[in-house]
Amino acid sequence: MADRSGPQVYSIAAHRGFADALVAGLLPRYGEEDIGLARLTLLLPSRRAARTIGEAFIRLAGEKGQAGLLMPRMAVVGDLDLDETLGPLLDPIGTESAIPPAADPTRRWLRIAGILREEMGQDAPRGSALLRLSRQFCQTMDRLLVEDVGPEQLIQDQVIGIIGEQAAHWVEATKRFLKVQDKWLGELEARGEVDGPARRNRLFDHAAGRWRISPPATPIVAAGVTSAAPALAGLLRVVAELPGGAVILPDLDLSLDDAVWKELGRAGAPEEPDGLPFGPADAVTHPQYHLKLLLNRMGVSRAEVQPWHRAGMAAAPPERSHAISSLFLPPRASASWVGLPAERRRLSGVRLVETATPEEEAQAVALLVREALEQPEKRIAVVTPDRGLASRISAHLRRWNIEADNSAGRPLSQTPAGRVLLLLAEVMGEQAAPVPLLALLEHPLVGAGEGRAAWLDRVRALELKLRGPRPAAGLQPIGELAGKLARTDSGAGDWWAWIGGVLSPLMELAKADEAGLGDQLDALARTAEELCGSGLWSREDGRALASMVEDLRSHAGAVGTVLAPSDIAAALRDVMDSIAVRPPYGGHPRVAIYGLLESRMSRADLVICAGLNEGSWPANPGPDPVLPPAVLRMLGVPGADFRIGLSAHDLAGALGAPEVVLSRARRDLQGPAIPSRFVLRVRALLGEDLLARHVETQLPELARAVDDAAAAEPYPRPRPSPDPAQRRVEISVTALDRLRSDPYQFYAQAILRLRVLDPLDAEPSAAWKGTAAHEILRRWHERGGSLRDIARATLTELNAHPLMRSLWQPRLLAALEWVEAEMERRGLGRPVAFERDGSMDVRGIRIYGRVDRIDALPGGELAIVDYKTGRPPTGSEVAAGFALQLGTLGLMARDGAFAGVSGEPTHFEYWSLARSAKSETGFGFVEEPVLEGRRKSGIPREDFLPEAGRYLHEALDRWILGGEPFTARLNPDVPGYADYDQLMRLDEWMGREEEGGQ
């Protein structure tokens, strides 16, 4: 640095590498022989920046062969305890103008939620939605405070005039904000506190005033600070004028033409004394715009800024900065691209990669990292705002045992400890619903220890009992199911009793409409520790969880926050998503994955910018949901598009690395993706003559080839042919239909003995509904009484969930009332058997089944009745032998298979409980698949039993006693279940076989 009058403001060009170039210049200027840089104070933008600068000092010392180095004091300008960091340089403590302490952000968030609830009354959102609205209010308040906008400015005549011109909802929103802010500021004043951003502003003003009057004896340098907050800009101006002080900016383009600099717009400098600080034509999306805003607020001209001539160890060619400057020219100036010579458009060392999907992009980026690590000492940084893509890249790198240092960490909600608390909150909120309950019991931290294997065996056994429709709410219905486990496991009863005792406090809380957030957190934390032991808190995620719980619990109790137990899971998830958990140790020393904030000031030999699509990089700018944009512009608060300029500046900084890869996928999870405007600019700048040199074509192909396997041989239609001993199995009357229509399904069910498991918390399946309806009718036939009362009692015994009952029970009752009325109306026969099991022996094979109802007719004949909750088989299906249930049951009844029943079956009826326009209740009809009268399909009555017998013997001859293979989908046009489609790999061969082939 050259000593001169005026503010000492410097810019480190993008190609020099900010952190390494900074320390390379600081050491010779401020280093002293014995104490190194210990007398220097560095003001830095973030803790991540402090870590990056520290690493750069270590690299420089290593390069120079120094055994050690005393580094400067580093203060982060965003910290609430900035005064303590700077210590005696500020020393506001003990003076009459002591700066009040900052209000705790958590307390403010919860209290503003309470104020919103008071102000909005019945219109206030509930639960987590109210807390999210409170967070938005806090963010808007902070945004105004950072820009030094006080509440009095919101009621100026100009602002009020603008508010009156807005839509009605904006007017109401602004009034609400003013009321909430006024009430909150009143409480702050009573407590003797100020908001965090307001306190920082006071600290900056205090430091600026003190240092202006009495400069500190030791040098102060602000490096990498680009925030244009007015109070901070004032402090930076003072720092730039201190003896030995300096302000060092990253990537300020000093080569930009003055006309282009002017085209960026007003940037906080009104053209008239009372004019707006931002003009409608301001190029707020330009990467230099926020730096122009900062310089204007500092009162420094760009001509006063000096270039920093030191370069870092990972510097790019100087031509790169010229290309970056051309790349981001504003609209009118970008017309000069047409005449730019190739050397001004050259981006040597920059490659463009385009893949088909995000998964392929992650694979390609991982391959780039793996390839670069082959070069000793080469550092690689992956920069992406897409945390999902970052996770994919990390996962692909693990296949080579590369654990990348992911600076963003993992959200607390995705860590083991965080998941335990969230699952407990869901169990409480959903009153022990099967899905969260089993997920909790199967969690690795729950039940850990020597008995883990037995614990999991019992959980899996309980899972089998819970599959199907959700039982009634609470622990008691699940306890009844768990009690059945004791038949095979003597310790299961005590096991569930212990779990129920641990969870019961949560279930008691769940009964309340609302409960204190602190009380709920107390109960959740106690329950989590009982289930997991001290291991819950022993790792970094547990410590982060403990800190979050304690913070929320203490402030929620003080504020009096209440929340419905059903809402606490969503509220906790929102909080946990904002807390990053990082491992206590780093990953690979030469590989890092950064978000945009973390990447600032970092440097690597290879920088891979991934996820360059619109909506990701840059992110879609969202308007402030609390105050209208016109009001914010009037107050001098940068608009939402301002963040696009920051994203552009992040990319400009990344482009300064020696090697850069710009990567995007043509599709994202929602569909086709739009390339980032920055990628389109790169392509346009390069032009057709240079673009082909920069597009990487081999890498996407290699990424696809990594996981490509040789094409598998076409899978044939399955035709299993078990040996004769395996074929001789008992056949149910329903399985006989399946045997004839789809032999493979019979093979899977009866020979392999595979059964389909219902999902957890499933919608009532046809089989479950059928079982419930048959049980209700059986009890009614046997006991008599009110069919409606029997139905309600039966559904209660089956632990049917109230929601399911409310949706399905009315339809069921209407259909059952039709059954009752139909039996009274017809009066043709006397029921002699209900839900009765029977069997018969046919050529050494046991045929068994259950008949729903048998009626004895006046002439001694029998009527076989089968209840269906859905549509019955058609007459053509019965005639083709694919629906033989009635006929086979008739054969069994004629053979005396059902105790107490004798006679010749002559009537075969389906009583369907499905919708029917002819029924008075809207449900129920009788259908008989007999070919007589006007019917065009079915089996003649006199041939019904002989045909059923013929089809039965044919099936036995072909598959059970014969050797025909059990061919999959032998009759594909016959309606059936899809239970075994995956097992038979249906999609791999169905429709691909030639006529008469496989």
Side-chain angles (χ1 to χ4, degrees), residues 763-807:
E763 292 292 328
S765 64
W768 190 93
K769 291 179 180 179
T771 300
H774 282 76
E775 180 63 18
I776 292 167
L777 288 167
R778 182 190 68 79
R779 296 182 180 187
W780 178 65
H781 285 309
E782 291 179 352
R783 305 174 188 174
S786 170
L787 188 55
R788 183 179 290 269
D789 292 341
I790 293 173
R792 289 197 181 100
T794 303
L795 291 176
T796 300
E797 291 179 21
L798 292 174
N799 287 328
H801 191 271
L803 178 61
M804 186 277 295
R805 290 173 60 179
S806 65
L807 294 176

Side-chain angles (χ1 to χ4, degrees), residues 324-459:
I324 294 173
S325 179
S326 301
L327 175 65
F328 290 104
L329 288 175
R332 279 182 292 178
S334 62
S336 63
W337 286 355
V338 177
L340 274 181
E343 59 269 15
R344 293 282 295 179
R345 295 185 286 114
R346 186 171 292 116
L347 288 169
S348 58
V350 177
R351 290 180 283 170
L352 298 172
V353 174
E354 189 171 278
T355 58
T357 64
E359 185 63 29
E360 190 177 298
E361 181 182 12
Q363 181 74 277
V365 171
L367 284 171
L368 279 170
V369 174
R370 178 68 183 86
E371 178 188 34
L373 285 175
E374 290 298 305
Q375 302 178 39
E377 300 184 6
K378 188 171 187 176
R379 292 178 292 149
I380 306 101
V382 178
V383 181
T384 178
D386 186 340
R387 303 321 299 166
L389 179 60
S391 299
R392 287 191 182 96
I393 294 169
S394 297
H396 282 295
L397 288 172
R398 291 190 192 105
R399 70 167 60 186
W400 298 297
N401 294 322
I402 299 171
E403 194 66 40
D405 183 7
N406 192 338
S407 64
R410 277 194 300 170
L412 179 57
S413 59
Q414 297 178 15
T415 63
R419 286 297 300 155
V420 168
L421 201 73
L422 281 180
L423 287 170
L424 275 171
E426 291 175 14
V427 168
M428 179 176 69
E430 299 182 33
Q431 298 189 53
V435 173
L437 176 64
L438 289 172
L440 172 69
L441 297 180
E442 292 175 349
H443 192 283
L445 293 178
V446 176
E450 295 181 359
R452 178 68 176 170
W455 176 283
L456 289 178
D457 287 342
R458 287 167 179 157
V459 174

